[in-house]
């Protein structure tokens, strides 16, 4: 059995050992320090290579602007006006009006000079990049070679363009019908379709959401579609103007669920809607109506067709009603054909971005109709938006709200209106047969 030496003996032992091997210890220590230094240097190099800054590409932005200007906007452009309209989906004067409006509204679209004294992207380049994305639905880097704009910048141009268009033109081209608009709609629909009191056609459209988050796919997917979608509810008139647009409801819901969350009848319920008065078969009506398909409820403001009519009068009514109701289907078709981005799957991750894109396409759609068609053009914002007041308790305003809600959902008035329309359509279109 061995005994442990005391502290003095141990110190003397290690002093002698270190004195004998001092040179060997220094050499080993220096070798270890050198190896550690090499290891740290290699790790620093590998880390710097991973965080290396992006390579700068001299895209020569001014050349891209000069090419675009000479092709479309010079006094003697390469491409004539009809090609411009086909590629930009609108006439040149309308496009330049939009460019001037967004340039004056947002600093992002102003032509600036960077710190190196070089001109940045022009308003024409940025707006062209946004319009081409909406029109063709191509990937963002598709326009780099022609416009000399990087992929991320093209996406930023699209988002900023949509926000500016909504802020500048939304009040006019996403407005609810005022008194002059309603009078125009009543006259137009009675003349074209033979339906007095008709305000438009109501229906829903689904837009596929490709990059819907996995956690949300259940609520945004419906069985008949099989993919995540977002619903657009719209009202269109016979000139294809979209008077009401409500977008953002999950695609798993049907048209009735969307209607329950829609602000379509907010003005009617609050008593702020313009008056609508018309007479059918000596019966006076005080509310306009929308043509719908069979899924919608039997409200006083909806006129539906008959599922399987046997009576000749109802057959004529069914034909006329379904023909007139195609206005909203035609509006959806023109909207998707004009703006291919909302025809294909939505590729962005955030629903707010998709909502801005949808509303921008609708605004541009209405602007084109106004510029080229026979839509309402004499618009003024004199009436303004009425401010909603908040009341507490059982006030007279709340009682009036309940009464208007009951009148809106009156099932008996729905059937009476449809019966009067059946007789009116029969007398108008079948009197000579």
């Amino acid at each position: 059995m061995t005994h442990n030496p005391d502290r003095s003996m141990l110190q003397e032992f290690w002093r002698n050992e270190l004195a004998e091997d001092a040179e060997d210890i220094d050499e080993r220590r220096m070798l270890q320090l050198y190896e550690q230094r090499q290891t740290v240097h290699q790790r620093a190099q590998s880390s710097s290579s991973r965080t290396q800054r992006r390579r700068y590409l001299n895209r020569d932005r001014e050349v891209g602007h000069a090419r675009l200007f000479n092709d479309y906007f010079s006094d003697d452009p390469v491409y004539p006006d009809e090609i411009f309209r086909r590629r930009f989906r609108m006439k040149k004067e309308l496009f330049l009006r939009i460019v001037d409006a967004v340039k004056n509204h947002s600093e992002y679209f102003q032509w600036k000079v960077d710190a190196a004294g070089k001109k940045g992207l022009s308003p024409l380049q940025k707006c062209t990049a946004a319009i081409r994305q909406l029109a063709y639905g191509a990937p963002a880097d598709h326009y780099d070679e022609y416009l000399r704009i990087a992929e991320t910048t093209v996406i930023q141009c699209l988002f900023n363009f949509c926000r500016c268009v909504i802020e500048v033109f939304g009040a006019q081209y996403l407005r609810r019908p005022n008194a002059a608009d309603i009078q125009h709609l009543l006259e137009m629909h009675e003349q074209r379709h033979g339906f007095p009191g008709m305000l438009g056609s109501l229906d829903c459209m689904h837009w596929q959401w490709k990059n819907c988050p996995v956690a949300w796919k259940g609520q945004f997917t419906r069985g008949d579609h099989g993919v995540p979608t977002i619903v657009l509810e719209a009202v269109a008139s016979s000139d294809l103007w979209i008077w009401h647009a409500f977008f953002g409801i999950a695609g798993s819901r049907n048209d009735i669920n969307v209607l329950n969350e829609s602000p379509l009848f907010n003005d009617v319920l609050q008593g702020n809607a313009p008056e609508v008065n018309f007479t059918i078969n000596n019966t006076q009506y005080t509310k306009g109506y929308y043509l719908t398909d069979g899924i919608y409820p039997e409200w006083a403001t909806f006129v539906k067709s008959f599922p399987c009519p046997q009576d000749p009068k109802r057959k004529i009514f069914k034909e006329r009603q379904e023909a007139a109701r195609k206005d909203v289907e035609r509006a959806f078709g023109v909207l998707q054909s004009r703006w291919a981005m909302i025809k294909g799957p939505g590729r962005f991750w955030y629903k707010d971005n998709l909502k801005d894109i949808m509303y921008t396409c609708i605004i541009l759609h209405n602007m084109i109709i106004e510029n080229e068609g026979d839509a309402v053009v004499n618009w003024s914002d004199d009436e303004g938006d009425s401010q909603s007041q908040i009341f507490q308790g059982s006030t007279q305003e709340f009682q009036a709200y309940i009464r208007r809600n009951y009148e809106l959902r009156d099932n008996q008035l729905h059937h009476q209106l449809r019966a009067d329309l059946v007789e009116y359509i029969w007398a108008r279109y079948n009197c000579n047969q």
Side-chain angles (χ1 to χ4, degrees), residues 306 309-320 422:
F306 297 97
Q310 301 297 327
D311 183 26
K313 294 183 179 180
R314 294 190 173 189
K315 288 183 178 180
I316 293 294
F317 174 80
K318 178 181 176 64
E319 294 176 0
R320 303 298 303 183
V422 168

Side-chain angles (χ1 to χ4, degrees), residues 360-389:
T360 300
C361 291
I362 294 174
I363 291 174
L364 297 177
H365 169 85
N366 288 343
M367 294 180 72
I368 294 171
I369 291 177
E370 180 190 71
N371 182 254
E372 302 178 0
D374 56 348
V376 179
V377 294
N378 297 323
W379 174 79
S380 61
D381 198 19
D382 296 337
E383 298 181 0
D385 296 332
S386 58
Q387 299 293 330
S388 300
Q389 299 180 0

